[in-house]
């Protein structure tokens, strides 16, 4: 028996790819297991197999095998591959982002997101089980027609990131900054609203905390959107804002260690791993009550209304930066909340669910 995983795209540092690597390490203790992808980051070509190679490595009794799909976007070739395979199918749903946010910047990409939801609705009829990383995601799966839906939180092992030696060059640069650092970590995509963060920083730096810095750390997946953000930053003359692009784990550790607080204004998440990473580095966390942020954050941070605008965000950031008691309270609450996401407990839950269908 084999238990293999498939995903549309495998990229270094991507949350879905990281989840697949984590799961493969567990699966290989009980059965042969590999990861296959339609598109592979050249930096991990030695660790992930191209989807077209699957048939060459398939077992002689595929009906006894298990295929695990990590679902986050549509892909016609992968869908055709999955629809008629004899292996039993398990879907791990990381959430499909709202297509409308992407239409102005990449209509083709928006189309793949819409297609992703349609494909899942078809695959629901043949999946033996679906795993959701949050109750919000589980509700979406049920609405698509999946019968056996279980919540199995992501394995987020913050200790691994904490143990990484920070990149010396990044540390040197950050030590040269002369004010507090507001940090965002996440892909620079429209639904994560880095544009609102730039607006809020403009208010913060102009009227409230002029010495504050804003650092946006994340991969620029949409070139047109990235260009628009850079132009917006220049138009607002935000000399203390920095869009870093993709960074190494060593640089990411440096950013977390030097930041004063973590802020996300994302309007749609399936889980939001950086919330837990920020808690792990003892940062006060501020976010808006958008899906599925409240479920992950719990009482571990400062939660603003879903429609919180840049002015409200700037005022809240200033309050956190200026009030030591508030900062200490948020850090303490974050540490308590992080304890609810024990990685070993998440691994055990995941293995238990998979063993029930193996």
């Amino acid at each position: 028996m084999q238990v293999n995983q498939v995903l549309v795209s495998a990229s270094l540092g991507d949350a879905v790819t990281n989840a697949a690597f984590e799961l493969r390490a567990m699966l290989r203790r009980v059965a042969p297991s590999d990861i296959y992808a339609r598109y592979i980051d050249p930096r991990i070509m030695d660790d992930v197999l191209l989807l077209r190679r699957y048939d060459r490595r398939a077992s002689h009794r595929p009906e006894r095998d298990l295929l695990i799909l990590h679902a986050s976007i549509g892909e016609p070739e992968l869908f055709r591959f999955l629809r008629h395979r004899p292996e039993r199918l398990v879907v791990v749903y990381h959430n499909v982002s709202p297509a409308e946010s992407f239409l102005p910047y990449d209509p083709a990409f928006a189309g793949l997101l819409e297609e992703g939801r349609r494909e899942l609705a078809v695959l629901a009829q043949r999946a033996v089980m679906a795993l959701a990383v949050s109750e919000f995601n589980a509700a979406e799966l049920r609405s698509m027609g999946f019968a056996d839906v279980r919540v199995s939180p992501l394995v987020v092992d913050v200790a691994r990131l904490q143990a990484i030696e920070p990149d010396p060059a990044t540390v040197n640069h950050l030590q040269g900054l002369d004010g507090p650092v507001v940090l965002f970590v996440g892909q620079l995509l429209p639904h994560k609203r880095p544009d609102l963060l730039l607006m809020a920083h403009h208010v913060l730096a102009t009227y409230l905390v002029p010495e504050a810095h804003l650092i946006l750390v994340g991969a620029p997946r949409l070139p047109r959107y990235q260009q628009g953000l850079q132009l917006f930053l220049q138009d607002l003359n935000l000399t203390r804002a920095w869009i870093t692009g993709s960074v190494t784990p060593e640089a990411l550790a440096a950013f977390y260690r030097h930041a004063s607080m973590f802020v996300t204004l994302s309007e749609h998440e399936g889980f939001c791993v950086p919330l837990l990473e920020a808690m792990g580095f003892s940062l006060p966390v501020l976010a808006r009550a958008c899906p599925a942020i409240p479920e992950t954050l719990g009482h571990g941070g400062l939660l603003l209304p879903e429609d919180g605008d840049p002015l409200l965000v700037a005022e809240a950031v200033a309050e956190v930066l200026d009030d030591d008691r508030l900062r200490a309270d948020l850090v303490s609450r974050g540490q308590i909340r992080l304890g609810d996401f024990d990685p070993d407990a998440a691994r055990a839950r995941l293995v238990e669910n998979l063993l029930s269908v193996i």
Side-chain angles (χ1 to χ4, degrees):
M1 182 186 71
Q2 296 183 10
V3 184
N4 293 308
Q5 301 176 79
V6 293
L7 51 158
V8 172
S9 179
S11 301
L12 186 66
D14 171 65
V16 175
T17 306
N18 287 345
F21 284 146
E22 177 75 40
L23 180 53
R24 184 183 63 184
M26 291 184 280
L27 290 173
R28 283 182 169 174
R29 298 172 189 167
V30 296
S33 181
D34 283 306
I35 299 171
Y36 295 83
R38 172 68 177 84
Y39 306 100
I40 304 175
D41 185 327
R43 293 171 292 180
I44 55 174
M45 283 293 293
D46 292 338
D47 218 12
V48 180
L49 301 170
L50 285 167
L51 183 65
R52 64 172 179 264
R53 296 180 59 188
Y54 185 89
D55 281 333
R56 302 179 211 168
R57 302 170 65 95
S59 73
H60 299 297
R61 297 284 301 277
E63 69 281 357
R64 300 176 58 188
D65 296 339
L66 203 65
L67 269 177
I68 301 173
L69 166 66
H70 291 268
S72 61
I73 192 172
E75 164 55 45
E77 182 175 326
L78 181 58
F79 175 63
R80 289 192 295 269
F81 167 83
L82 290 170
R83 192 171 183 183
H84 301 298
R85 292 295 313 179
E87 296 89 348
R88 292 166 298 150
L89 177 67
V90 169
V91 172
V92 177
Y93 184 50
H94 298 269
N95 202 271
V96 176
S97 302
E100 56 268 20
S101 300
F102 295 79
L103 272 173
Y105 308 101
D106 193 333
F109 190 84
L112 288 175
L113 291 170
E114 290 182 341
E115 189 61 31
R117 291 183 179 274
R118 288 192 290 266
E119 291 171 3
L120 280 171
V122 174
L123 293 175
Q125 305 307 311
R126 89 168 207 84
V128 297
M129 181 177 66
L131 299 178
V133 298
S134 64
E135 185 55 49
F136 173 76
N137 283 3
E140 287 198 350
L141 286 169
R142 295 184 190 106
S143 72
M144 295 178 202
F146 285 86
D148 186 357
V149 178
R150 310 179 196 182
V151 176
S152 188
L154 275 177
V155 178
V156 183
D157 198 340
V158 179
R160 289 179 182 172
L161 186 57
Q162 292 171 322
I164 292 176
E165 189 69 27
D167 174 60
T170 306
V171 170
N172 288 338
H173 177 84
L174 293 172
Q175 287 177 339
L177 302 181
D178 59 354
V181 172
V182 178
L183 177 68
F184 164 82
V185 176
Q187 296 186 63
L188 295 183
L189 294 173
H191 68 287
K192 293 184 182 289
R193 300 310 304 266
D195 58 314
L196 285 185
L197 272 173
L198 291 176
M199 294 181 201
H201 180 66
H202 177 62
V203 176
L204 182 72
T206 303
Y207 302 105
L208 301 171
V209 189
E211 68 275 19
H213 296 265
L214 172 67
I215 301 180
L216 307 180
V217 177
R221 301 296 185 190
L222 298 179
R224 286 186 61 191
Y225 187 67
Q226 164 74 359
Q227 293 164 10
L229 283 178
Q230 289 287 2
L231 288 173
F232 191 41
L233 184 152
Q234 294 167 16
D235 288 344
L236 292 176
N237 194 30
L238 299 178
T239 57
R240 288 173 173 257
W242 178 18
I243 301 175
T244 70
S246 300
V247 301
T248 64
E250 292 77 11
L252 180 60
F255 285 119
Y256 273 126
R257 289 184 182 278
H258 191 83
S260 307
M261 66 180 297
F262 178 88
V263 180
T264 177
L265 302 182
S266 178
E267 60 190 13
H268 186 96
E269 294 285 346
F271 186 84
C272 197
V273 169
L275 292 175
L276 303 189
E277 293 176 342
M279 294 174 195
F281 281 89
S282 299
L283 296 180
V285 173
L286 185 149
R288 297 192 300 171
C290 299
I293 296 289
E295 184 179 347
T296 302
L297 185 60
H299 296 292
L302 182 58
L303 199 60
L304 299 181
E306 187 171 356
D307 60 354
D309 62 16
L311 180 58
L312 176 63
V313 172
E315 291 174 338
V317 169
E319 188 69 21
V320 173
L321 292 176
D322 292 341
D323 189 331
D324 290 340
R325 291 182 62 183
L326 175 60
R327 285 175 51 79
D329 178 61
L330 291 173
V331 169
S332 175
R333 285 158 49 185
Q335 293 293 303
I336 294 170
R337 180 56 175 161
L338 183 61
D340 296 332
F341 293 93
D342 177 70
D344 289 333
R347 292 184 184 103
R349 180 83 169 269
L350 182 56
V351 169
E352 178 185 358
N353 284 320
L354 289 173
L355 287 177
S356 71
V357 296
I358 288 178

